[in-house]
Amino acid sequence: MDPDDVALALESVPLAERHQAWQRIKHANRLDVLVEMRGESRQLLLKQLDDDEIEALFSDVDAEDLLDIADSLPERLVDLAFKQMDTKQRTYYQQGAVYDEDEVGRWVDHDLLIASQTIRVAEAIKLFKRSDAPYTDVIYLVNRIGRWVGCVRIQALLNANGHEPVSSLMTEDYPFLDATTDVVKAAETLEREEYVALPVIDENHLLLGRFHSGLALEAARLELEAQQMSNAGLNEESDLFAPVKRSAATRGMWLGINLLTAFLASAFISIFEATLEQVVALAVLMPIVASMGGIAGSQTLTLIVRGLALGQITRANLSSLLNKEMKVGGLNGVFWSVIIGGVVLWWFQSPMLGVVIALAIIVNILMAALSGVLIPVILDKLKIDPALSGSVILTTVTDIAGFVAFLGLGTLLLL
Amino acid sequence: MDPDDVALALESVPLAERHQAWQRIKHANRLDVLVEMRGESRQLLLKQLDDDEIEALFSDVDAEDLLDIADSLPERLVDLAFKQMDTKQRTYYQQGAVYDEDEVGRWVDHDLLIASQTIRVAEAIKLFKRSDAPYTDVIYLVNRIGRWVGCVRIQALLNANGHEPVSSLMTEDYPFLDATTDVVKAAETLEREEYVALPVIDENHLLLGRFHSGLALEAARLELEAQQMSNAGLNEESDLFAPVKRSAATRGMWLGINLLTAFLASAFISIFEATLEQVVALAVLMPIVASMGGIAGSQTLTLIVRGLALGQITRANLSSLLNKEMKVGGLNGVFWSVIIGGVVLWWFQSPMLGVVIALAIIVNILMAALSGVLIPVILDKLKIDPALSGSVILTTVTDIAGFVAFLGLGTLLLL
């Protein structure tokens, strides 16, 4: 069984039995399993281990492992692990720790073929023949002080004369990644340029290591998971069986934010208490108006958020986009308002109530289209990620607009 | 500029000006750009081109391109493109077209080094030296009838004697992908096994081609986009500037489904019309109860959907999971019911109304936890993707439970 599989299996064991399950894993595999675990699961497990156990566990930790898990470890344990590494691994760790979790500098692989730019082809071939690192289709050349100067393809080496200097075979304009590049962008570069791995370079052009397609696929997989979880205000590092108090606390935050928006909507409803008292059907129907606006708005929002992420939305096309979304909203507004108005007329036997809800639906769907375009564009301008906060703001707007339009029109036309 | 960039730029031009922008693209690049475009954008563009233009465009289409775009082309154009391909490309196309869009058999790359298992090392090295295909670190060996028999690493070739048969150097247990494997799973295999590419095999063990990390990264990227869009009932192939009628129609479906659930909730509210008439504050506050349940439920649902996707939820741990989620719900229910009860008491100066909403919040958050676990598990058992339909069903349940609990308790305690 792979360490990833063991880690997954361990995370699916309830907390009370997890320590026992951990003990059944072979000592030699434990570190790999720990590294593969989700952050919260790892924290919870380490809490159950005593210091001797942890020290033994970290006895052959390397820089890549430690960089992976450092963020979910207490300072004390990071120090303990750091002390047990050799000089080379310590240097790698220090080089990587400078960068954020989502910067490619922290994702660097050190298992690459590096050679001085002064060696000859025959030596380079010898180097390649002895290597068994995956993702190896080039040799990375550096100058005397470790600056990256270029890459030579294995095929180029094999087709050349053994006495030639390797530097004459360098692929022109070989792409590289700045260590501060976002890891998801780096993965896109790898895909687009059709490379197996690319050199990662710091601000002084020193070669930190490489970013290969295995890491790129891992980054893409984690991004997908993060995105699924963040839709519900959760973190991708969450443990399925996290302790009750801890889960309740992390989820409580999101509930609290939502509660504020719900109270805000209620405050707007309360303006129309007198109307509701007289026409109780308005209370029965008001969730329909709010939810149609919410759905229509989140459709527009989703399209715009994707457009922003892809860099497709510009000052030049914003107004035609708004225009188009308003037309789509208008068309859907009219269509559904006729249906809803008809159903309400039949249900409550009140033509005027049908007219009120039909008008409110049109108003709210138009409002939803407008907000669906403008909210993410404004958030993006303010450097706030519209994918995270856009939807909360949007549904607050469509709830309030829906209630006010429906109850306001009800007050005007039904009393 | 890369074809992907041109495609993105083209998609961000409003429809009316798009044909003009297309004309400015060099003829030689047009096919690549067309292939990179999103399905709907491609359809819209092709509608604006006349048959001669399309025929010229497809004059050097290859099987990979056509497999990519066939689903968004009318039958007539697929035929037109197919006729222009040579025999080899036609065979590739026919081999790939058997498989679904999300099966790896459709994602096959044919630019790989294939050799008969009977050749010697020196010949294999010659083959490698002449190749310039990316992702090449092995040679694929086939038998006389084209069945895949194994892979030989380039290093193994270089370290061997030129007279040796290559078949003696095959890597043992080299993994392969069945052509019906889901493409996202195939990408995970590539990541986990640390390979640059894996052979894709049909049910007769014939070598169809390979699945390399560039394709895997593309599949992962498209999966992320599909998932973002599907949250709002949209398709990842949607065009930012799709014609108004067309957009309105595709989005209308999702609005219609939502409308049914909203009417269902209203029907439940209407049971309590008499109560609402007497205590209008209930109408003001009822959205709060529903939305707190919705948020809490979608948190549980998200966690369970991820657990199901990772294979972490089993019969063995389901009851402890339900137990834990009910406890988290209980704790958050009690906490927030005290806060909300307090605010309502202060706002409406009615202790009993505070008690009613507090109890309703507890009931609905517990109901949300229960549904958040059971709905995705049941959907999964019924082979329905819980990531798609789970959230609609869940919010319908929490809306109804919220309204019934709150208005029901109000009827019992306030009248």
Side-chain angles (χ1 to χ4, degrees):
Chain A
M1 238 166 128
D2 275 339
D4 340 23
D5 290 326
V6 180
L8 271 183
L10 202 60
E11 287 169 10
S12 62
V13 172
L15 273 192
E17 304 149 40
R18 203 175 287 175
H19 189 231
Q20 236 182 320
W22 167 257
Q23 301 288 1
R24 284 197 296 273
I25 301 169
K26 273 195 218 139
H27 279 276
N29 299 338
R30 286 188 186 175
L31 181 62
D32 289 339
V33 171
L34 190 78
V35 171
E36 293 299 333
M37 286 173 81
R38 255 153 266 273
E40 190 176 27
S41 314
R42 184 159 51 226
Q43 277 170 13
L44 293 168
L45 180 68
L46 285 172
K47 271 196 194 155
Q48 297 189 296
L49 305 181
D50 59 36
D51 272 16
D52 288 349
E53 234 172 322
I54 294 177
E55 202 169 332
L57 191 61
F58 284 168
S59 63
D60 59 335
V61 72
D62 65 15
E64 285 167 40
D65 289 345
L66 189 57
L67 284 168
D68 245 14
I69 65 177
D71 280 350
S72 63
L73 291 186
E75 201 66 37
R76 192 176 59 84
L77 292 186
V78 176
D79 285 344
L80 191 148
F82 183 77
K83 280 196 196 113
Q84 304 200 47
M85 297 195 298
D86 62 25
T87 326
K88 198 170 81 179
Q89 294 298 326
R90 284 185 191 183
T91 311
Y92 289 159
Y93 178 78
Q94 286 165 329
Q95 284 175 343
V98 177
Y99 301 100
D100 280 350
E101 234 182 320
D102 56 357
E103 289 177 336
V104 75
R106 198 162 181 134
W107 288 71
V108 154
D109 167 57
H110 299 102
D111 203 5
L112 70 174
L113 293 181
I114 302 182
S116 156
Q117 61 175 338
T118 61
I119 69 164
R120 293 183 184 278
V121 166
E123 287 171 85
I125 293 180
K126 221 180 271 172
L127 208 65
F128 174 68
K129 279 172 154 182
R130 280 199 305 260
S131 86
D132 60 354
Y135 311 108
T136 300
D137 60 353
V138 294
I139 290 185
Y140 297 82
L141 299 185
V142 291
N143 70 7
R144 223 174 320 117
I145 58 166
R147 285 200 177 140
W148 175 72
V149 293
C151 287
V152 179
R153 296 181 69 219
I154 304 303
Q155 273 103 328
L157 290 176
L158 295 178
N159 284 316
N161 184 307
H163 296 292
E164 268 183 73
V166 280
S167 54
S168 65
L169 304 174
M170 286 193 301
T171 308
E172 258 179 73
D173 298 324
Y174 201 90
F176 63 91
L177 297 168
D178 190 276
T180 55
T181 309
D182 181 272
V183 70
V184 174
K185 290 277 164 219
E188 280 172 21
T189 307
L190 221 57
E191 180 202 337
R192 173 173 297 206
E193 307 277 344
E194 302 202 306
Y195 282 92
V196 162
L198 287 175
V200 178
I201 308 294
D202 77 1
E203 77 273 26
N204 297 316
H205 228 73
L206 294 182
L207 179 62
L208 298 179
R210 63 175 180 169
F211 181 66
H212 61 59
S213 56
L215 293 167
L217 283 168
E218 187 185 346
R221 182 169 51 79
L222 294 180
E223 174 73 9
L224 180 67
E225 207 179 294
Q227 135 111 40
Q228 289 168 329
M229 299 297 276
S230 72
N231 282 336
L234 296 173
N235 186 293
E236 74 274 19
E237 302 286 350
S238 319
D239 189 287
L240 201 54
F241 285 103
V244 171
K245 272 190 212 163
R246 189 179 173 130
S247 293
T250 45
R251 298 196 205 167
M253 278 280 291
W254 194 244
L255 283 164
I257 293 171
N258 169 69
L259 181 61
L260 285 178
T261 73
F263 265 123
L264 193 61
S266 288
F268 278 92
I269 299 174
S270 74
I271 300 173
F272 302 97
E273 269 187 63
T275 310
L276 284 166
E277 235 162 65
Q278 293 181 55
V279 193
V280 74
L282 292 174
V284 172
L285 295 170
M286 66 186 191
I288 294 178
V289 182
S291 90
M292 288 300 275
I295 297 286
S298 67
Q299 291 182 326
T300 302
L301 180 86
T302 303
L303 200 71
I304 302 296
V305 165
R306 181 185 69 162
L308 286 168
L310 295 174
Q312 288 187 312
I313 293 172
T314 58
R315 199 170 286 213
N317 65 13
L318 188 60
S319 72
S320 15
L321 199 54
L322 189 59
N323 190 285
K324 175 218 146 196
E325 284 300 316
M326 294 299 281
K327 282 187 188 154
V328 173
L331 205 58
N332 258 326
V334 169
F335 178 80
W336 290 106
S337 69
V338 170
I339 306 244
I340 295 169
V343 172
V344 166
L345 165 61
W346 163 81
W347 186 358
F348 292 90
Q349 299 293 320
S350 156
M352 211 33 154
L353 186 59
V355 170
V356 166
I357 197 166
L359 289 176
I361 290 281
I362 295 179
V363 169
N364 202 23
I365 290 186
L366 285 175
M367 186 68 196
L370 184 69
S371 324
V373 174
L374 293 186
I375 290 172
V377 168
I378 292 169
L379 287 175
D380 191 62
K381 275 257 178 290
L382 301 173
K383 312 263 178 224
I384 301 171
D385 182 2
L388 281 180
S389 41
S391 139
V392 177
I393 302 178
L394 178 97
T395 48
T396 308
V397 170
T398 52
D399 275 1
I400 292 174
F403 294 139
V404 170
F406 186 46
L407 301 177
L409 285 165
T411 308
L412 287 177
L413 301 177
L414 295 172
L415 292 192
Chain B
M1 239 167 126
D2 275 340
D4 338 27
D5 290 325
V6 180
L8 272 182
L10 202 60
E11 287 168 12
S12 62
V13 174
L15 272 191
E17 304 150 39
R18 204 174 285 176
H19 189 234
Q20 233 182 323
W22 167 258
Q23 301 287 3
R24 285 196 297 270
I25 301 170
K26 273 195 217 136
H27 280 276
N29 299 338
R30 287 189 184 173
L31 181 62
D32 290 338
V33 172
L34 189 79
V35 170
E36 292 300 331
M37 285 173 82
R38 255 153 267 273
E40 191 175 26
S41 313
R42 185 160 49 230
Q43 277 171 14
L44 294 168
L45 179 67
L46 285 171
K47 270 195 194 156
Q48 297 189 295
L49 305 181
D50 60 37
D51 272 16
D52 287 348
E53 233 172 325
I54 294 178
E55 202 169 332
L57 191 60
F58 284 167
S59 63
D60 58 337
V61 71
D62 66 15
E64 285 168 40
D65 289 344
L66 188 57
L67 284 168
D68 246 15
I69 65 177
D71 281 350
S72 61
L73 292 184
E75 201 65 39
R76 190 176 61 84
L77 292 187
V78 176
D79 285 344
L80 190 150
F82 183 77
K83 278 193 199 117
Q84 305 200 47
M85 297 195 296
D86 62 25
T87 325
K88 198 169 79 176
Q89 292 298 327
R90 284 186 190 184
T91 312
Y92 289 158
Y93 179 78
Q94 286 166 328
Q95 282 175 344
V98 178
Y99 301 100
D100 280 349
E101 233 183 320
D102 55 356
E103 289 178 337
V104 75
R106 199 164 181 132
W107 287 72
V108 155
D109 167 58
H110 299 102
D111 201 4
L112 70 174
L113 293 181
I114 302 182
S116 155
Q117 60 175 339
T118 59
I119 68 165
R120 294 183 185 277
V121 167
E123 289 170 84
I125 292 179
K126 221 179 272 170
L127 208 65
F128 174 68
K129 278 172 154 182
R130 281 199 303 260
S131 86
D132 61 354
Y135 311 108
T136 301
D137 59 353
V138 295
I139 290 184
Y140 297 81
L141 299 185
V142 292
N143 70 8
R144 220 173 325 118
I145 58 168
R147 284 200 177 140
W148 175 71
V149 293
C151 288
V152 179
R153 298 181 67 221
I154 304 303
Q155 273 102 329
L157 290 176
L158 294 179
N159 284 315
N161 185 305
H163 296 292
E164 270 183 71
V166 278
S167 55
S168 65
L169 302 176
M170 285 194 302
T171 307
E172 260 180 69
D173 298 325
Y174 201 90
F176 64 90
L177 296 167
D178 191 278
T180 57
T181 309
D182 180 271
V183 71
V184 174
K185 290 276 165 220
E188 280 172 21
T189 307
L190 222 55
E191 180 202 338
R192 173 172 299 206
E193 308 275 346
E194 303 201 306
Y195 282 93
V196 163
L198 287 175
V200 178
I201 308 293
D202 77 0
E203 77 275 24
N204 297 317
H205 226 74
L206 294 182
L207 179 62
L208 299 179
R210 62 175 181 167
F211 181 66
H212 60 61
S213 55
L215 294 167
L217 283 168
E218 186 185 348
R221 182 170 51 78
L222 294 179
E223 173 74 10
L224 180 67
E225 205 178 297
Q227 135 112 40
Q228 290 168 329
M229 299 297 276
S230 73
N231 282 336
L234 296 174
N235 187 293
E236 74 275 17
E237 302 286 348
S238 320
D239 189 285
L240 200 55
F241 286 101
V244 171
K245 270 191 211 161
R246 189 180 175 132
S247 293
T250 45
R251 298 196 205 169
M253 278 281 290
W254 194 244
L255 282 164
I257 294 171
N258 170 69
L259 181 61
L260 286 178
T261 75
F263 265 123
L264 193 62
S266 288
F268 278 92
I269 299 173
S270 74
I271 301 172
F272 303 97
E273 268 186 64
T275 309
L276 283 167
E277 235 162 65
Q278 292 182 56
V279 193
V280 76
L282 291 173
V284 173
L285 295 170
M286 66 186 192
I288 294 178
V289 182
S291 88
M292 288 299 275
I295 297 286
S298 65
Q299 292 182 325
T300 302
L301 179 87
T302 302
L303 199 72
I304 303 296
V305 166
R306 181 185 67 163
L308 286 167
L310 295 172
Q312 288 188 312
I313 292 171
T314 59
R315 198 170 286 213
N317 65 13
L318 187 60
S319 72
S320 14
L321 200 55
L322 190 57
N323 191 286
K324 176 219 143 194
E325 286 299 316
M326 294 299 281
K327 281 186 188 154
V328 173
L331 205 59
N332 259 327
V334 169
F335 178 80
W336 290 106
S337 70
V338 170
I339 306 243
I340 295 169
V343 171
V344 166
L345 165 61
W346 163 81
W347 186 358
F348 292 89
Q349 298 292 319
S350 156
M352 211 34 155
L353 186 60
V355 170
V356 166
I357 197 167
L359 289 175
I361 290 281
I362 295 179
V363 168
N364 202 22
I365 290 188
L366 285 174
M367 186 68 196
L370 184 70
S371 324
V373 174
L374 293 186
I375 289 171
V377 169
I378 291 169
L379 287 175
D380 190 62
K381 276 257 179 289
L382 301 174
K383 312 261 177 228
I384 302 170
D385 183 1
L388 280 181
S389 41
S391 140
V392 177
I393 301 178
L394 178 97
T395 48
T396 309
V397 170
T398 52
D399 275 0
I400 293 173
F403 293 138
V404 169
F406 185 47
L407 301 177
L409 285 165
T411 308
L412 288 176
L413 300 176
L414 294 173
L415 293 192

